[in-house]
C-alpha cells in the first residue's frame, strides 16, 4: 500500500483543524452554561430544602422556584450535550495527534 502524500497529509490536517473551528469551538459556551445551571439548581435546591423555614410563600419565592425548576429541567439536557461535546473533542484531538505523529514519523513536519 502506498504512503499518503505530503499534500494529502496537509489537506487532512486542514480538514481536522476546520472541523475543530467550525464544530467544537462555537459550542465551548456550553461548559460555563452547564456550570451556571448546575450551580443555580444546587443553590436553589439547598435553599428550599434546608433554609426555607417560614410558612409564607412570596412572589420572590415563587419566582425563585420557577428558576430552580427550569434549571432542573436544563441540567440533564445540558449534561448530555456537554458529555457529547467532550467526547467529540477528545476524539478529534486523538485524530490530530495521530496525524501529527504520522507526519513526524514520515518526516513531513
Amino acid at each position: 500500500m502506498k504512503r499518503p502524500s505530503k499534500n494529502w497529509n496537509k489537506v487532512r490536517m486542514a480538514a481536522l483543524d476546520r472541523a475543530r473551528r467550525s464544530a467544537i469551538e462555537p459550542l465551548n459556551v456550553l461548559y460555563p452554561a452547564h456550570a451556571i445551571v448546575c450551580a443555580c439548581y444546587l443553590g436553589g435546591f439547598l435553599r428550599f430544602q434546608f433554609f426555607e423555614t417560614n410558612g409564607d410563600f412570596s412572589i420572590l419565592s415563587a419566582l425563585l422556584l420557577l428558576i430552580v425548576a427550569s434549571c432542573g429541567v436544563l441540567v440533564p439536557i445540558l449534561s448530555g450535550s456537554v458529555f457529547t461535546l467532550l467526547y467529540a473533542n477528545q476524539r478529534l484531538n486523538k485524530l490530530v495527534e495521530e496525524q501529527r505523529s504520522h507526519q513526524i514519523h514520515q518526516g513531513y513536519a
Side-chain angles (χ1 to χ4, degrees):
M1 190 162 91
K2 288 177 119 179
R3 295 169 121 178
S5 68
K6 185 176 182 179
N7 190 34
W8 169 253
N9 287 327
K10 285 182 180 180
V11 167
R12 185 165 186 221
M13 280 300 291
L16 290 172
D17 186 46
R18 182 168 174 103
R20 177 188 316 284
R21 283 181 296 161
S22 64
I24 302 295
E25 289 178 4
L27 295 175
N28 279 340
V29 73
L30 288 177
Y31 294 123
H34 183 255
I36 290 169
V37 166
C38 286
C40 179
Y41 179 66
L42 183 63
F45 173 77
L46 291 175
R47 180 186 183 278
F48 284 116
Q49 189 68 28
F50 298 115
F51 300 117
E52 188 72 28
T53 56
N54 58 0
D56 298 335
F57 198 72
S58 66
I59 299 294
L60 182 62
S61 293
L63 184 63
L64 187 59
L65 182 63
L66 288 174
I67 291 171
V68 170
S70 63
C71 287
V73 169
L74 287 175
V75 165
I77 295 169
L78 286 178
S79 294
S81 300
V82 165
F83 289 142
T84 304
L85 179 63
L86 184 64
Y87 175 74
N89 195 14
Q90 287 176 347
R91 182 71 179 133
L92 193 59
N93 285 338
K94 184 179 177 184
L95 288 173
V96 167
E97 288 304 316
E98 285 176 3
Q99 183 66 25
R100 283 190 182 139
S101 68
H102 190 281
Q103 284 180 347
I104 291 171
H105 178 67
Q106 291 194 357
Y108 290 143

